[in-house]
Amino acid sequence: MKPVFVQIKCALGQAYTVATAIADAEIASEIYSTAGGYDLLVKFYLPEGEDVGHFINEKLHAIPGITDTYTIITFRAF
């Protein structure tokens, strides 16, 4: 399993709704609210070989209230 982190910008007033939708979809390992340029930080575990772009486009961008994402692909945990 490969961890991928995604920062998410939400439409105004939609952060909790988006976080709940992600949790209900059972696709994320952890979901955090954040301050700054993004509203949420979400950790996903993808199977080796799964296309990150397709996952983000099909599973995440389909959730209403998301206006922007920034994906961080990881290489190694220390």
Side-chain angles (χ1 to χ4, degrees), residues 29-43:
S29 169
E30 300 167 44
I31 305 167
Y32 298 96
S33 59
T34 59
Y38 290 87
D39 302 301
L40 301 172
L41 174 64
V42 184
K43 183 179 184 181

Side-chain angles (χ1 to χ4, degrees), residues 12 14 26 32 37 58:
L12 289 177
Q14 294 298 306
E26 297 182 355
Y32 298 96
E58 295 168 7

Side-chain angles (χ1 to χ4, degrees), residues 9-28:
K9 285 184 188 178
C10 303
L12 289 177
Q14 294 298 306
Y16 284 90
T17 303
V18 170
T20 300
I22 294 169
D24 289 347
E26 297 182 355
I27 57 174

